[in-house]
mmCIF file of all heavy atoms in Angstrom:
data_model
loop_
_atom_site.group_PDB
_atom_site.id
_atom_site.type_symbol
_atom_site.label_atom_id
_atom_site.label_comp_id
_atom_site.label_asym_id
_atom_site.label_seq_id
_atom_site.Cartn_x
_atom_site.Cartn_y
_atom_site.Cartn_z
ATOM 1 N N TYR W 54 -121.196 -174.502 0.736
ATOM 2 C CA TYR W 54 -121.941 -175.183 1.796
ATOM 3 C C TYR W 54 -121.260 -175.032 3.146
ATOM 4 O O TYR W 54 -120.091 -174.670 3.221
ATOM 5 C CB TYR W 54 -122.081 -176.665 1.439
ATOM 6 C CG TYR W 54 -122.689 -176.876 0.079
ATOM 7 C CD1 TYR W 54 -121.888 -177.128 -1.038
ATOM 8 C CD2 TYR W 54 -124.061 -176.748 -0.104
ATOM 9 C CE1 TYR W 54 -122.444 -177.274 -2.297
ATOM 10 C CE2 TYR W 54 -124.630 -176.898 -1.370
ATOM 11 C CZ TYR W 54 -123.822 -177.157 -2.453
ATOM 12 O OH TYR W 54 -124.374 -177.292 -3.694
ATOM 13 N N VAL W 65 -125.408 -182.879 1.753
ATOM 14 C CA VAL W 65 -124.641 -183.996 1.182
ATOM 15 C C VAL W 65 -125.026 -184.197 -0.284
ATOM 16 O O VAL W 65 -124.169 -184.343 -1.163
ATOM 17 C CB VAL W 65 -124.901 -185.292 1.989
ATOM 18 C CG1 VAL W 65 -124.202 -186.481 1.339
ATOM 19 C CG2 VAL W 65 -124.452 -185.110 3.432
ATOM 20 N N THR W 121 -134.462 -176.382 6.125
ATOM 21 C CA THR W 121 -134.062 -175.527 7.254
ATOM 22 C C THR W 121 -135.138 -175.583 8.330
ATOM 23 O O THR W 121 -136.329 -175.651 8.014
ATOM 24 C CB THR W 121 -133.831 -174.072 6.797
ATOM 25 O OG1 THR W 121 -133.469 -173.285 7.944
ATOM 26 C CG2 THR W 121 -135.060 -173.464 6.152
ATOM 27 N N ASP W 139 -147.781 -179.320 -5.147
ATOM 28 C CA ASP W 139 -148.585 -178.093 -5.130
ATOM 29 C C ASP W 139 -147.763 -176.912 -5.669
ATOM 30 O O ASP W 139 -148.248 -176.110 -6.491
ATOM 31 C CB ASP W 139 -149.035 -177.826 -3.685
ATOM 32 C CG ASP W 139 -149.941 -176.613 -3.575
ATOM 33 O OD1 ASP W 139 -150.638 -176.291 -4.565
ATOM 34 O OD2 ASP W 139 -149.941 -175.973 -2.505
ATOM 35 N N GLY W 147 -141.917 -163.668 -12.355
ATOM 36 C CA GLY W 147 -142.337 -162.388 -11.805
ATOM 37 C C GLY W 147 -142.142 -162.245 -10.318
ATOM 38 O O GLY W 147 -141.880 -163.197 -9.581
ATOM 39 N N SER W 152 -141.309 -163.486 -4.531
ATOM 40 C CA SER W 152 -141.563 -163.152 -3.130
ATOM 41 C C SER W 152 -142.167 -164.326 -2.374
ATOM 42 O O SER W 152 -141.817 -164.575 -1.212
ATOM 43 C CB SER W 152 -142.512 -161.959 -3.018
ATOM 44 O OG SER W 152 -141.858 -160.789 -3.385
ATOM 45 N N ALA W 154 -141.699 -167.443 -2.969
ATOM 46 C CA ALA W 154 -140.624 -168.411 -2.731
ATOM 47 C C ALA W 154 -139.721 -167.936 -1.594
ATOM 48 O O ALA W 154 -139.309 -168.721 -0.728
ATOM 49 C CB ALA W 154 -139.808 -168.623 -4.012
ATOM 50 N N THR W 156 -140.525 -166.080 0.849
ATOM 51 C CA THR W 156 -141.275 -166.123 2.109
ATOM 52 C C THR W 156 -141.322 -167.541 2.681
ATOM 53 O O THR W 156 -141.203 -167.731 3.895
ATOM 54 C CB THR W 156 -142.714 -165.621 1.878
ATOM 55 O OG1 THR W 156 -142.647 -164.276 1.399
ATOM 56 C CG2 THR W 156 -143.523 -165.655 3.173
ATOM 57 N N THR W 160 -137.697 -169.080 8.569
ATOM 58 C CA THR W 160 -138.014 -169.802 9.817
ATOM 59 C C THR W 160 -138.249 -168.763 10.917
ATOM 60 O O THR W 160 -139.363 -168.287 11.092
ATOM 61 C CB THR W 160 -136.895 -170.793 10.217
ATOM 62 O OG1 THR W 160 -135.651 -170.108 10.262
ATOM 63 C CG2 THR W 160 -136.833 -171.946 9.249
ATOM 64 N N LYS W 186 -132.557 -166.745 3.836
ATOM 65 C CA LYS W 186 -133.245 -166.844 5.125
ATOM 66 C C LYS W 186 -132.174 -167.083 6.184
ATOM 67 O O LYS W 186 -131.116 -167.652 5.905
ATOM 68 C CB LYS W 186 -134.274 -167.962 5.142
ATOM 69 C CG LYS W 186 -133.769 -169.378 5.002
ATOM 70 C CD LYS W 186 -133.145 -170.026 6.207
ATOM 71 C CE LYS W 186 -134.013 -169.955 7.434
ATOM 72 N NZ LYS W 186 -133.334 -170.694 8.569
ATOM 73 N N ASP W 222 -117.090 -165.258 0.370
ATOM 74 C CA ASP W 222 -116.004 -164.841 1.260
ATOM 75 C C ASP W 222 -116.098 -163.366 1.640
ATOM 76 O O ASP W 222 -115.603 -162.966 2.687
ATOM 77 C CB ASP W 222 -114.643 -165.126 0.603
ATOM 78 C CG ASP W 222 -114.276 -166.604 0.701
ATOM 79 O OD1 ASP W 222 -114.908 -167.316 1.503
ATOM 80 O OD2 ASP W 222 -113.369 -167.036 -0.024
ATOM 81 N N LEU W 242 -125.728 -170.232 -6.634
ATOM 82 C CA LEU W 242 -125.787 -169.241 -7.712
ATOM 83 C C LEU W 242 -126.227 -169.981 -8.970
ATOM 84 O O LEU W 242 -125.607 -170.977 -9.361
ATOM 85 C CB LEU W 242 -124.414 -168.589 -7.933
ATOM 86 C CG LEU W 242 -124.298 -167.670 -9.152
ATOM 87 C CD1 LEU W 242 -125.263 -166.485 -9.075
ATOM 88 C CD2 LEU W 242 -122.857 -167.158 -9.311
ATOM 89 N N GLN W 261 -118.243 -157.715 -8.989
ATOM 90 C CA GLN W 261 -118.434 -156.573 -8.090
ATOM 91 C C GLN W 261 -119.911 -156.427 -7.694
ATOM 92 O O GLN W 261 -120.242 -156.223 -6.530
ATOM 93 C CB GLN W 261 -117.946 -155.315 -8.812
ATOM 94 C CG GLN W 261 -117.567 -154.182 -7.917
ATOM 95 C CD GLN W 261 -116.954 -153.045 -8.757
ATOM 96 O OE1 GLN W 261 -116.233 -153.302 -9.730
ATOM 97 N NE2 GLN W 261 -117.259 -151.821 -8.393
ATOM 98 N N PRO W 320 -120.000 -147.802 26.362
ATOM 99 C CA PRO W 320 -118.669 -147.698 25.725
ATOM 100 C C PRO W 320 -117.594 -148.388 26.553
ATOM 101 O O PRO W 320 -116.566 -147.794 26.861
ATOM 102 C CB PRO W 320 -118.455 -146.184 25.630
ATOM 103 C CG PRO W 320 -119.264 -145.601 26.735
ATOM 104 C CD PRO W 320 -120.432 -146.535 26.972
#
Side-chain angles (χ1 to χ4, degrees):
Chain W
Y54 306 98
V65 175
T121 179
D139 183 28
S152 288
T156 300
T160 53
K186 65 77 52 177
D222 282 345
L242 172 61
Q261 203 174 323

